[in-house]
Amino acid sequence: MKFGEFGGIYVAETLIQPLKELEKAYEELKDDEEFKEKLDYYLRNYAGRPTPLYYAENLTKKIGGAKIYLKREDLLHSGAHKINNTVGQALLAKFMGKSRLIAETGAGQHGVATAMAGALMGLKVDIYMGAEDVERQRTNVFRMKLLGANVIPVESGSRTLKDAINEALRDWVATFEYTHYLIGSVVGPHPYPTIVRDFQSVIGRETKKQILEIEGCLPDVIVACVGGGSNAMGIFYPFLNDDVRLVGVEAGGKGLNTGRHSASLCAGKKGVLHGMLSYFLQDEDGQILDTHSIAPGLDYPGVGPEHAYLKEIGRAEYVAVTDEEALKAYLELSKTEGIIPALESSHALAYAMKIAREMSRDEIVVVNLSGRGDKDLGIVMNALGDGL
Amino acid sequence: MINRSLITYVTAGDPSKELTLQFLDVLSRYSDVIELGIPFSDPMADGKTIEKSHYRALKSGIRVKDVFEIVERFKDDHKTPIVLMTYFNPVFARGLENFVRNARESGVDAMLVVDLPLEEAKEYIDVCYEYEMKTVFLASPNTPNDRLRAIDEASSGFVYLISLYGTTGEREKLSSLAFDLIKRAKSICRKPLAVGFGVSKAEHVRELLKAGADGVVVGSAIVRLIEVYGEKAVEKVDEKCRELREGLNF
């Protein structure tokens, strides 16, 4: 299954059979009533779905343009949308008879959500995390351990998320007989981008129902941040055939002209890594470049293949927001609404505020508030000094 | 392309272009085919030893065009066939056809693209055919028979059997999976069979050839010497290859 020319299954031969097994299990399970009920049960009673669609009235008034709604994924158990996918995939792993989960994590949010799902389902969990991220996200490392997971620091390469994925793949190729690799975003070889999108599209389905109930019409624009792109794919997907403008916001870091960013759709080129054909930040020889973002969850040199496709066919647009703009949005929402957004989600928020200003008061912008920002207090304190 | 062959591996540019040429000269004295790796920023299918060698090579500033130059200079006065081993992105970035043409012009005899399975290889196979570049595809202990047949069909050089579940790297003992796979592949494949991953000793080479392999690939055991001895590794590599060659005497 491909998204136009994007996606695919660019892996070494040994992983072909485990991926086929996964695809078969997923195809068998996805429309199974019992599975759907079970997943729904856990999403409601364990993760806390449905999440509210909140009209940010104070922020809307302050900006003085379109109505801004926030899809409150930050209110989920674990504090971010990642749990939608980990509960789904952990159930899938159980069905396949696997006894162990492995996952990569950057900031630690997906690692925490995997550790939770593993504890819930009684599966052993090993999390690969770049050594640099282990150092800067110590609280999340502790959370994962508290939840019974083992955290393995990855010392190779740039010691961040992409290297954690490499290491998880190396583990999986040796242990696939009893291990499920629980990928955290809409990336990787087929069928992962599809599976993760499907589990995350509960966000968009709820949003659609909620906005129709509240406003009686669809939103004009939906804005979501894009690292790998799972929260964006999740909210976009149910709206693909509707007349709704979809905007993905990438991490512009210090600015696209500085080379210090993670905006692979805005500034990257087509390439192949981690099992997929998509856009990557790379040099002329195809060597993958180091990335930067103030938001650890966006710090990845590639992007999900379906986003690459949506960009190519012009169905969604992709823009970049800098560290500084995201930080401003982080502070703004905290003050005006009493909601501390994740730095990742702050990218989406920053762009939504920018366009809402230019729109009329009867228009509607929905922002996917994919996670809460308590995890980022350390980074924000560092960035501000005493400047609050 | 292989027949009772020792195949040895080094990464191009580890630790420098000039030393790679010296290593290739040594390897060519003892081995029938040389596998030369293009360093990549994210060598996912490789274990620690070869992974680190990719980073050393990249740190030395080596570029893909330098790898072609190494092959060209080597081929000036050597006949040993070169299999270029690479991840797909450097090929993709240069443009598939450009890459294969440049590689062939420099003297590369065959290519092995680690993360390009049959599903994604149609165009690659056509381009290789057009430029008379031999192809080598991987098969694994979990590759089913019908797929093994297709891999055999697609490999114009030889079929590379992965001896175990995991990445490249030295192991004390050979896995029983290797022998099962050789047996199965021999009954299905018409192309020669090389076995690699976890092969590091003369004894391993002998056992695998006796079991019916047409060639045996040794990588990490050589690359580890480069890691430990750096610029002084030439002699150590010579010793190691001589030892491995003993594995052909039985």
Side-chain angles (χ1 to χ4, degrees), chain A residues 162 226-227 250-253 255-274 276 278-293 298-303 320, chain B residues 40-42 89 93:
Chain A
K162 84 173 168 72
V226 177
E250 295 195 302
L256 292 189
N257 52 357
T258 64
R260 305 252 304 137
H261 59 79
S262 315
S264 36
L265 284 170
C266 293
K269 282 182 303 196
K270 285 180 199 174
V272 172
L273 183 75
H274 293 153
M276 59 180 171
S278 188
Y279 279 83
F280 294 94
L281 297 170
Q282 55 185 315
D283 70 12
E284 283 176 9
D285 271 356
Q287 309 292 352
I288 305 301
L289 298 172
D290 284 348
T291 53
H292 163 82
S293 170
L298 302 182
D299 210 346
Y300 178 66
V303 65
Chain B
F40 183 49
S41 54
D42 296 81
N89 205 41

CSV table of all heavy atoms in Angstrom, one decimal, chain A residues 162 226-227 250-253 255-274 276 278-293 298-303 320, chain B residues 40-42 89 93:
chain,number,residue,atom,x,y,z
A,162,LYS,N,16.0,9.7,15.7
A,162,LYS,CA,16.2,8.9,14.6
A,162,LYS,C,17.1,7.7,14.9
A,162,LYS,O,16.9,6.6,14.4
A,162,LYS,CB,16.7,9.7,13.4
A,162,LYS,CG,18.2,9.9,13.4
A,162,LYS,CD,18.6,10.6,12.1
A,162,LYS,CE,20.1,11.1,12.2
A,162,LYS,NZ,21.1,10.0,12.2
A,226,VAL,N,3.3,19.0,13.0
A,226,VAL,CA,3.7,17.9,12.3
A,226,VAL,C,5.2,17.6,12.6
A,226,VAL,O,6.1,18.4,12.2
A,226,VAL,CB,3.6,18.0,10.7
A,226,VAL,CG1,4.2,16.8,10.0
A,226,VAL,CG2,2.1,18.1,10.4
A,227,GLY,N,5.5,16.5,13.3
A,227,GLY,CA,6.9,16.0,13.4
A,227,GLY,C,6.9,14.8,12.5
A,227,GLY,O,7.2,14.9,11.3
A,250,GLU,N,5.2,22.6,10.7
A,250,GLU,CA,6.4,22.0,11.0
A,250,GLU,C,7.3,22.9,11.9
A,250,GLU,O,7.0,24.1,12.1
A,250,GLU,CB,7.2,21.7,9.7
A,250,GLU,CG,6.5,20.7,8.9
A,250,GLU,CD,7.4,20.1,7.8
A,250,GLU,OE1,7.9,20.9,7.0
A,250,GLU,OE2,7.6,18.9,7.8
A,251,ALA,N,8.3,22.3,12.5
A,251,ALA,CA,9.2,23.0,13.4
A,251,ALA,C,10.2,23.8,12.6
A,251,ALA,O,11.1,23.2,12.0
A,251,ALA,CB,9.9,22.1,14.3
A,252,GLY,N,10.1,25.1,12.6
A,252,GLY,CA,11.0,26.0,11.9
A,252,GLY,C,12.3,26.3,12.7
A,252,GLY,O,13.2,27.0,12.2
A,253,GLY,N,12.3,25.8,13.9
A,253,GLY,CA,13.5,26.0,14.7
A,253,GLY,C,14.0,27.4,14.8
A,253,GLY,O,13.3,28.3,15.1
A,255,GLY,N,14.8,29.1,12.3
A,255,GLY,CA,14.5,29.7,11.0
A,255,GLY,C,15.0,28.8,9.9
A,255,GLY,O,16.0,28.1,10.0
A,256,LEU,N,14.2,28.7,8.8
A,256,LEU,CA,14.5,27.7,7.7
A,256,LEU,C,15.8,28.0,7.0
A,256,LEU,O,16.4,27.1,6.5
A,256,LEU,CB,13.3,27.7,6.7
A,256,LEU,CG,12.0,27.2,7.2
A,256,LEU,CD1,11.0,27.0,6.0
A,256,LEU,CD2,12.2,25.8,7.9
A,257,ASN,N,16.2,29.3,7.0
A,257,ASN,CA,17.5,29.6,6.4
A,257,ASN,C,18.7,29.3,7.2
A,257,ASN,O,19.8,29.5,6.7
A,257,ASN,CB,17.4,31.1,5.9
A,257,ASN,CG,17.1,32.0,7.1
A,257,ASN,OD1,16.8,31.6,8.2
A,257,ASN,ND2,17.1,33.3,6.8
A,258,THR,N,18.5,28.9,8.5
A,258,THR,CA,19.7,28.7,9.3
A,258,THR,C,20.2,27.2,9.3
A,258,THR,O,21.2,26.9,9.7
A,258,THR,CB,19.3,29.0,10.8
A,258,THR,OG1,18.3,28.0,11.2
A,258,THR,CG2,18.8,30.4,11.0
A,259,GLY,N,19.3,26.3,8.7
A,259,GLY,CA,19.7,24.9,8.7
A,259,GLY,C,19.4,24.3,10.1
A,259,GLY,O,19.6,23.1,10.2
A,260,ARG,N,19.0,25.1,11.0
A,260,ARG,CA,18.7,24.5,12.4
A,260,ARG,C,17.2,24.4,12.6
A,260,ARG,O,16.6,25.3,13.2
A,260,ARG,CB,19.3,25.4,13.5
A,260,ARG,CG,20.8,25.7,13.3
A,260,ARG,CD,21.6,24.9,14.3
A,260,ARG,NE,21.3,25.3,15.7
A,260,ARG,CZ,21.2,24.4,16.6
A,260,ARG,NH1,21.4,23.1,16.4
A,260,ARG,NH2,20.9,24.7,17.9
A,261,HIS,N,16.6,23.4,12.0
A,261,HIS,CA,15.1,23.2,12.1
A,261,HIS,C,14.8,21.7,11.8
A,261,HIS,O,15.7,20.9,11.7
A,261,HIS,CB,14.4,24.1,11.1
A,261,HIS,CG,14.9,23.8,9.6
A,261,HIS,ND1,14.4,22.7,8.9
A,261,HIS,CD2,15.8,24.4,8.9
A,261,HIS,CE1,15.0,22.7,7.7
A,261,HIS,NE2,15.8,23.7,7.7
A,262,SER,N,13.5,21.4,11.8
A,262,SER,CA,13.1,20.0,11.5
A,262,SER,C,12.0,20.0,10.5
A,262,SER,O,11.1,19.1,10.5
A,262,SER,CB,12.6,19.3,12.8
A,262,SER,OG,13.4,19.6,13.9
A,263,ALA,N,12.0,21.0,9.6
A,263,ALA,CA,10.9,21.1,8.7
A,263,ALA,C,11.1,20.3,7.4
A,263,ALA,O,11.5,20.9,6.3
A,263,ALA,CB,10.6,22.6,8.3
A,264,SER,N,10.9,19.0,7.4
A,264,SER,CA,11.2,18.2,6.2
A,264,SER,C,10.3,18.4,5.0
A,264,SER,O,10.8,18.3,3.9
A,264,SER,CB,11.3,16.7,6.6
A,264,SER,OG,10.3,16.4,7.5
A,265,LEU,N,9.1,18.7,5.2
A,265,LEU,CA,8.2,19.0,4.1
A,265,LEU,C,8.5,20.4,3.5
A,265,LEU,O,8.4,20.6,2.3
A,265,LEU,CB,6.7,18.9,4.5
A,265,LEU,CG,6.2,17.5,4.7
A,265,LEU,CD1,4.8,17.5,5.3
A,265,LEU,CD2,6.1,16.7,3.4
A,266,CYS,N,8.8,21.3,4.4
A,266,CYS,CA,9.0,22.7,3.9
A,266,CYS,C,10.4,22.8,3.2
A,266,CYS,O,10.6,23.6,2.3
A,266,CYS,CB,8.9,23.7,5.0
A,266,CYS,SG,7.2,23.9,5.6
A,267,ALA,N,11.4,22.1,3.8
A,267,ALA,CA,12.8,22.4,3.3
A,267,ALA,C,13.5,21.1,3.0
A,267,ALA,O,14.7,21.2,2.7
A,267,ALA,CB,13.5,23.1,4.4
A,268,GLY,N,12.9,19.9,3.0
A,268,GLY,CA,13.6,18.7,2.7
A,268,GLY,C,13.4,18.2,1.3
A,268,GLY,O,12.8,18.9,0.5
A,269,LYS,N,14.0,17.0,1.0
A,269,LYS,CA,13.9,16.5,-0.4
A,269,LYS,C,13.4,15.0,-0.2
A,269,LYS,O,13.5,14.4,0.8
A,269,LYS,CB,15.3,16.4,-1.0
A,269,LYS,CG,15.7,17.8,-1.6
A,269,LYS,CD,17.1,17.6,-2.3
A,269,LYS,CE,18.1,17.0,-1.3
A,269,LYS,NZ,19.5,17.2,-1.7
A,270,LYS,N,12.9,14.5,-1.3
A,270,LYS,CA,12.4,13.1,-1.3
A,270,LYS,C,13.6,12.2,-1.0
A,270,LYS,O,14.7,12.4,-1.5
A,270,LYS,CB,11.8,12.7,-2.7
A,270,LYS,CG,10.4,13.3,-2.9
A,270,LYS,CD,9.9,12.9,-4.3
A,270,LYS,CE,8.8,13.8,-4.7
A,270,LYS,NZ,8.4,13.6,-6.0
A,271,GLY,N,13.3,11.2,-0.2
A,271,GLY,CA,14.3,10.2,0.1
A,271,GLY,C,13.7,8.9,0.7
A,271,GLY,O,12.5,8.8,0.8
A,272,VAL,N,14.6,8.0,1.1
A,272,VAL,CA,14.2,6.8,1.7
A,272,VAL,C,14.9,6.6,3.1
A,272,VAL,O,16.2,6.5,3.1
A,272,VAL,CB,14.4,5.6,0.8
A,272,VAL,CG1,14.2,4.3,1.5
A,272,VAL,CG2,13.6,5.7,-0.5
A,273,LEU,N,14.2,6.5,4.1
A,273,LEU,CA,14.7,6.1,5.4
A,273,LEU,C,13.7,5.5,6.3
A,273,LEU,O,12.5,5.7,6.1
A,273,LEU,CB,15.3,7.4,6.1
A,273,LEU,CG,15.9,7.2,7.5
A,273,LEU,CD1,17.3,6.6,7.3
A,273,LEU,CD2,16.0,8.5,8.3
A,274,HIS,N,14.1,4.7,7.2
A,274,HIS,CA,13.2,4.0,8.2
A,274,HIS,C,12.0,3.3,7.4
A,274,HIS,O,10.9,3.4,7.9
A,274,HIS,CB,12.7,5.1,9.2
A,274,HIS,CG,13.7,5.5,10.1
A,274,HIS,ND1,13.7,6.8,10.7
A,274,HIS,CD2,14.9,5.0,10.5
A,274,HIS,CE1,14.8,6.9,11.5
A,274,HIS,NE2,15.5,5.8,11.4
A,276,MET,N,10.6,3.9,4.6
A,276,MET,CA,9.6,4.6,3.8
A,276,MET,C,10.2,5.6,2.8
A,276,MET,O,11.2,6.2,3.1
A,276,MET,CB,8.6,5.4,4.7
A,276,MET,CG,9.3,6.4,5.6
A,276,MET,SD,8.2,7.3,6.7
A,276,MET,CE,9.4,8.2,7.7
A,278,SER,N,9.7,9.2,1.6
A,278,SER,CA,9.0,10.4,2.0
A,278,SER,C,10.0,11.6,1.8
A,278,SER,O,10.9,11.6,1.1
A,278,SER,CB,8.6,10.3,3.5
A,278,SER,OG,7.8,11.3,3.9
A,279,TYR,N,9.7,12.7,2.6
A,279,TYR,CA,10.6,13.9,2.5
A,279,TYR,C,11.5,13.8,3.7
A,279,TYR,O,11.1,13.5,4.8
A,279,TYR,CB,9.8,15.2,2.6
A,279,TYR,CG,9.3,15.6,1.3
A,279,TYR,CD1,8.1,15.1,0.8
A,279,TYR,CD2,9.9,16.5,0.5
A,279,TYR,CE1,7.5,15.4,-0.4
A,279,TYR,CE2,9.4,16.9,-0.8
A,279,TYR,CZ,8.2,16.4,-1.2
A,279,TYR,OH,7.7,16.7,-2.4
A,280,PHE,N,12.8,14.1,3.5
A,280,PHE,CA,13.8,14.0,4.6
A,280,PHE,C,14.8,15.2,4.4
A,280,PHE,O,15.0,15.7,3.3
A,280,PHE,CB,14.6,12.7,4.5
A,280,PHE,CG,13.8,11.5,4.8
A,280,PHE,CD1,13.2,10.8,3.8
A,280,PHE,CD2,13.6,11.1,6.1
A,280,PHE,CE1,12.5,9.7,4.0
A,280,PHE,CE2,12.8,10.0,6.4
A,280,PHE,CZ,12.2,9.3,5.3
A,281,LEU,N,15.3,15.6,5.6
A,281,LEU,CA,16.4,16.6,5.6
A,281,LEU,C,17.7,15.8,5.4
A,281,LEU,O,18.0,15.0,6.1
A,281,LEU,CB,16.4,17.3,6.9
A,281,LEU,CG,15.1,18.2,7.2
A,281,LEU,CD1,15.1,18.7,8.6
A,281,LEU,CD2,15.0,19.3,6.2
A,282,GLN,N,18.3,16.1,4.3
A,282,GLN,CA,19.5,15.3,3.9
A,282,GLN,C,20.4,16.1,3.0
A,282,GLN,O,20.0,17.2,2.5
A,282,GLN,CB,19.0,14.1,3.1
A,282,GLN,CG,18.1,14.5,1.9
A,282,GLN,CD,17.6,13.3,1.2
A,282,GLN,OE1,18.3,12.3,0.9
A,282,GLN,NE2,16.3,13.3,0.8
A,283,ASP,N,21.7,15.7,2.9
A,283,ASP,CA,22.6,16.4,2.0
A,283,ASP,C,22.6,15.8,0.6
A,283,ASP,O,21.8,14.9,0.4
A,283,ASP,CB,24.0,16.4,2.6
A,283,ASP,CG,24.7,15.0,2.6
A,283,ASP,OD1,24.2,14.1,1.9
A,283,ASP,OD2,25.8,14.8,3.2
A,284,GLU,N,23.4,16.2,-0.3
A,284,GLU,CA,23.4,15.8,-1.7
A,284,GLU,C,23.6,14.3,-1.9
A,284,GLU,O,23.2,13.7,-2.8
A,284,GLU,CB,24.4,16.6,-2.5
A,284,GLU,CG,24.0,18.0,-2.8
A,284,GLU,CD,25.1,18.8,-3.6
A,284,GLU,OE1,26.1,18.1,-4.0
A,284,GLU,OE2,24.9,20.0,-3.7
A,285,ASP,N,24.4,13.7,-0.9
A,285,ASP,CA,24.7,12.3,-1.0
A,285,ASP,C,23.6,11.4,-0.3
A,285,ASP,O,23.7,10.2,-0.3
A,285,ASP,CB,26.0,12.0,-0.3
A,285,ASP,CG,27.2,12.1,-1.2
A,285,ASP,OD1,27.0,12.4,-2.4
A,285,ASP,OD2,28.3,12.0,-0.7
A,286,GLY,N,22.6,12.1,0.2
A,286,GLY,CA,21.5,11.3,0.8
A,286,GLY,C,21.8,11.0,2.3
A,286,GLY,O,21.1,10.2,2.9
A,287,GLN,N,22.9,11.6,2.9
A,287,GLN,CA,23.1,11.5,4.3
A,287,GLN,C,22.1,12.3,5.1
A,287,GLN,O,21.9,13.5,4.7
A,287,GLN,CB,24.6,11.9,4.7
A,287,GLN,CG,25.6,11.3,3.8
A,287,GLN,CD,25.8,9.7,4.0
A,287,GLN,OE1,25.2,9.2,4.9
A,287,GLN,NE2,26.6,9.1,3.1
A,288,ILE,N,21.5,11.7,6.1
A,288,ILE,CA,20.5,12.4,6.9
A,288,ILE,C,21.1,13.4,7.8
A,288,ILE,O,22.2,13.2,8.4
A,288,ILE,CB,19.7,11.4,7.7
A,288,ILE,CG1,19.1,10.3,6.8
A,288,ILE,CG2,18.6,12.0,8.5
A,288,ILE,CD1,18.2,10.7,5.7
A,289,LEU,N,20.5,14.6,7.8
A,289,LEU,CA,21.1,15.7,8.6
A,289,LEU,C,20.6,15.8,10.0
A,289,LEU,O,19.5,15.2,10.3
A,289,LEU,CB,20.7,17.0,7.9
A,289,LEU,CG,21.3,17.2,6.5
A,289,LEU,CD1,20.7,18.5,5.8
A,289,LEU,CD2,22.8,17.2,6.5
A,290,ASP,N,21.3,16.4,10.9
A,290,ASP,CA,20.9,16.6,12.3
A,290,ASP,C,19.8,17.7,12.2
A,290,ASP,O,19.8,18.6,11.4
A,290,ASP,CB,22.0,17.1,13.1
A,290,ASP,CG,22.9,16.0,13.5
A,290,ASP,OD1,22.6,14.8,13.3
A,290,ASP,OD2,24.0,16.3,14.0
A,291,THR,N,18.8,17.6,13.2
A,291,THR,CA,17.7,18.5,13.2
A,291,THR,C,17.7,19.3,14.5
A,291,THR,O,18.4,18.9,15.5
A,291,THR,CB,16.4,17.7,13.1
A,291,THR,OG1,16.3,16.7,14.1
A,291,THR,CG2,16.3,17.1,11.7
A,292,HIS,N,16.9,20.3,14.5
A,292,HIS,CA,16.7,21.1,15.8
A,292,HIS,C,15.3,21.5,15.9
A,292,HIS,O,14.6,22.0,14.9
A,292,HIS,CB,17.6,22.3,15.8
A,292,HIS,CG,17.2,23.3,16.9
A,292,HIS,ND1,17.5,23.1,18.2
A,292,HIS,CD2,16.4,24.3,16.8
A,292,HIS,CE1,16.9,24.1,18.9
A,292,HIS,NE2,16.2,24.9,18.0
A,293,SER,N,14.7,21.5,17.1
A,293,SER,CA,13.5,22.1,17.4
A,293,SER,C,13.4,22.3,18.9
A,293,SER,O,13.9,21.5,19.7
A,293,SER,CB,12.3,21.3,17.0
A,293,SER,OG,11.1,21.9,17.5
A,298,LEU,N,9.0,17.2,17.8
A,298,LEU,CA,9.0,17.5,16.4
A,298,LEU,C,10.4,17.3,15.8
A,298,LEU,O,10.7,17.5,14.6
A,298,LEU,CB,8.6,19.0,16.2
A,298,LEU,CG,7.2,19.3,16.7
A,298,LEU,CD1,6.9,20.8,16.4
A,298,LEU,CD2,6.1,18.4,16.2
A,299,ASP,N,11.4,16.9,16.7
A,299,ASP,CA,12.8,16.9,16.3
A,299,ASP,C,13.1,15.6,15.5
A,299,ASP,O,13.8,14.7,16.0
A,299,ASP,CB,13.6,16.9,17.6
A,299,ASP,CG,14.9,17.6,17.4
A,299,ASP,OD1,15.3,17.7,16.3
A,299,ASP,OD2,15.6,17.9,18.4
A,300,TYR,N,12.6,15.5,14.3
A,300,TYR,CA,12.8,14.3,13.5
A,300,TYR,C,13.0,14.7,12.0
A,300,TYR,O,12.4,15.6,11.5
A,300,TYR,CB,11.5,13.4,13.6
A,300,TYR,CG,11.6,12.2,12.7
A,300,TYR,CD1,12.5,11.1,13.0
A,300,TYR,CD2,10.7,12.0,11.7
A,300,TYR,CE1,12.5,10.0,12.2
A,300,TYR,CE2,10.7,10.8,10.9
A,300,TYR,CZ,11.6,9.9,11.2
A,300,TYR,OH,11.7,8.7,10.4
A,301,PRO,N,14.0,14.1,11.4
A,301,PRO,CA,14.4,14.6,10.0
A,301,PRO,C,13.5,14.2,8.9
A,301,PRO,O,13.7,14.5,7.7
A,301,PRO,CB,15.8,14.0,9.8
A,301,PRO,CG,15.8,12.7,10.6
A,301,PRO,CD,14.9,13.0,11.8
A,302,GLY,N,12.4,13.4,9.2
A,302,GLY,CA,11.5,12.9,8.2
A,302,GLY,C,10.1,13.3,8.5
A,302,GLY,O,9.8,14.0,9.5
A,303,VAL,N,9.2,12.7,7.8
A,303,VAL,CA,7.7,12.9,8.0
A,303,VAL,C,7.0,11.7,7.4
A,303,VAL,O,7.4,11.1,6.5
A,303,VAL,CB,7.3,14.3,7.3
A,303,VAL,CG1,7.4,14.2,5.8
A,303,VAL,CG2,5.9,14.7,7.8
A,320,ALA,N,5.9,26.4,8.3
A,320,ALA,CA,6.8,26.2,9.5
A,320,ALA,C,6.7,27.4,10.4
A,320,ALA,O,6.4,28.5,10.0
A,320,ALA,CB,8.3,26.1,9.0
B,40,PHE,N,26.8,5.3,5.5
B,40,PHE,CA,25.5,5.9,5.5
B,40,PHE,C,25.3,6.4,7.0
B,40,PHE,O,25.7,5.8,7.9
B,40,PHE,CB,24.4,4.9,5.1
B,40,PHE,CG,23.0,5.5,5.1
B,40,PHE,CD1,22.8,6.7,4.4
B,40,PHE,CD2,22.0,4.9,5.7
B,40,PHE,CE1,21.5,7.3,4.4
B,40,PHE,CE2,20.7,5.4,5.7
B,40,PHE,CZ,20.4,6.6,5.0
B,41,SER,N,24.6,7.5,7.1
B,41,SER,CA,24.3,8.1,8.4
B,41,SER,C,23.5,7.3,9.3
B,41,SER,O,23.5,7.4,10.5
B,41,SER,CB,23.7,9.5,8.2
B,41,SER,OG,22.5,9.4,7.4
B,42,ASP,N,22.7,6.4,8.7
B,42,ASP,CA,21.8,5.6,9.5
B,42,ASP,C,21.8,4.1,9.1
B,42,ASP,O,20.8,3.6,8.6
B,42,ASP,CB,20.4,6.1,9.4
B,42,ASP,CG,20.3,7.5,10.0
B,42,ASP,OD1,20.6,8.5,9.3
B,42,ASP,OD2,19.9,7.7,11.1
B,89,ASN,N,19.1,5.1,0.3
B,89,ASN,CA,19.0,6.6,0.1
B,89,ASN,C,20.2,7.2,-0.7
B,89,ASN,O,19.9,8.1,-1.5
B,89,ASN,CB,18.8,7.3,1.4
B,89,ASN,CG,18.1,8.6,1.3
B,89,ASN,OD1,17.2,8.7,0.5
B,89,ASN,ND2,18.6,9.7,1.9
B,93,ALA,N,19.3,9.4,-3.8
B,93,ALA,CA,19.6,10.8,-3.9
B,93,ALA,C,20.4,11.2,-5.2
B,93,ALA,O,20.3,12.3,-5.7
B,93,ALA,CB,20.5,11.2,-2.6
